[in-house]
Amino acid sequence: MDQLPDWLVICVWRALFGEIYPSIRAIAISLNESRHLVIRYYLDRESSEMDQESMEVVATNISAAIGLDRISRIELECQFEVCP
């Protein structure tokens, strides 16, 4: 999939309210043809339990807003990145 659908961008944007904090350098999302959504946090440090909890909140908010008819699965990843 080359470009994310507008409904998904808006839903993820809304789900991220209150879940952005200074350790996050970037957030990437991707959706493949089988409706598998990947959310990846790029952090300026090793991930912690707080990061996993934050991502779970985001995933729960997305699932509640969209449902399983548009997204079959949500995968969450945290990646430590030294580059700006």
Side-chain angles (χ1 to χ4, degrees):
M1 194 172 271
D2 293 335
Q3 187 173 0
L4 295 171
D6 290 340
W7 58 264
L8 179 59
V9 173
I10 292 168
C11 184
V12 171
W13 179 66
R14 287 179 180 159
L16 286 169
F17 281 136
E19 297 301 323
I20 304 294
Y21 45 92
S23 298
I24 298 174
R25 291 182 180 243
I27 298 173
I29 60 173
S30 64
L31 181 68
N32 66 21
E33 290 79 21
S34 60
R35 301 174 306 142
H36 176 157
L37 177 65
V38 177
I39 303 171
R40 183 178 298 124
Y41 280 18
Y42 292 93
L43 304 171
D44 64 0
R45 57 169 171 69
E46 293 294 330
S47 66
S48 69
E49 188 175 320
M50 184 203 72
D51 301 311
Q52 294 298 324
E53 290 172 3
S54 173
M55 293 185 84
E56 290 291 336
V57 167
V58 172
T60 299
N61 290 341
I62 292 169
S63 294
I66 294 176
L68 293 176
D69 57 321
R70 291 186 176 175
I71 302 277
S72 63
R73 183 174 136 200
I74 300 176
E75 183 178 332
L76 306 172
E77 301 175 0
C78 281
Q79 184 171 331
F80 171 62
E81 190 62 53
V82 294
C83 298

